[in-house]
Amino acid sequence: MRIGDAAAAAGMTPRALRYYEQRGLVTARRTPSGHRVYDEEDIRRLRAVRELRDAGLTVGDVRAFAHLLRTVPADGVRDLLPQAPRSGACSAAEAVARRRLADLDARIARLSLLRARLAARLGEPAGQVTEPAETGGTGRAGADSGPLFRLETGPAPGGRALRV
């Protein structure tokens, strides 16, 4: 199948599929006219990449054990990262996943500390979590994510001032 159909079958865009190909996570075969073609094995591999990315792994993490992706069962990656320690190749995948989990825990701790500091400067209780109206409560992820804050003249809502 061609790139558009393959991307749709894997639940991603053609651009994402090309990106994963550039990173060595899938290899497209080419027709004599140069068009990329993919088979069901490629689709299964791409779905596994998408699931692993959705679980919080980076492309680099997935590349670390890309050789295991061809062993992914048709129903997904739930068994690729075992719950109980194993020996061999799966232990490498588990080690990568555990390092990523530790990294996420450290990032969460850092963000929680930053949030508490900012909340304290605003005079809010440390444990209070508020969702900005601009985001509609959709928790976006990423280094540059979050609501946009506007600086306005005049008193802050509730008469509180930001102490810097």
Side-chain angles (χ1 to χ4, degrees), residues 36-102:
R36 292 174 170 92
V37 290
Y38 302 89
D39 60 20
E40 288 302 317
E41 183 63 31
D42 296 322
I43 303 307
R44 181 172 38 222
R45 185 180 182 106
L46 288 164
R47 285 179 182 152
V49 169
R50 190 195 72 230
E51 286 182 53
L52 292 168
R53 297 276 294 129
D54 288 347
L57 296 177
T58 66
V59 171
D61 293 337
V62 176
R63 283 187 68 203
F65 54 86
H67 62 284
L68 295 176
L69 294 177
R70 64 179 167 261
T71 65
V72 172
D75 61 343
V77 297
R78 67 178 170 13
D79 292 333
L80 183 63
L81 303 175
Q83 297 297 317
R86 293 186 191 169
S87 61
C90 287
S91 63
E94 184 177 5
V96 168
R98 291 201 181 281
R99 277 196 305 270
R100 178 59 50 207
L101 188 60

Side-chain angles (χ1 to χ4, degrees), residues 7-27:
M12 61 183 61
T13 65
R15 184 176 180 182
L17 200 158
R18 281 188 215 95
Y19 176 76
Y20 294 142
E21 184 180 343
Q22 287 175 338
R23 298 294 180 245
L25 297 175
V26 68
T27 303

Side-chain angles (χ1 to χ4, degrees), residues 115 118-125 128 130 152-164:
R115 191 213 178 280
L118 183 56
R121 299 230 189 273
L122 292 171
E124 291 184 7
Q128 181 178 340
T130 58
E152 298 179 16
T153 59
R160 295 181 301 217
L162 177 63
R163 294 186 307 267
V164 185

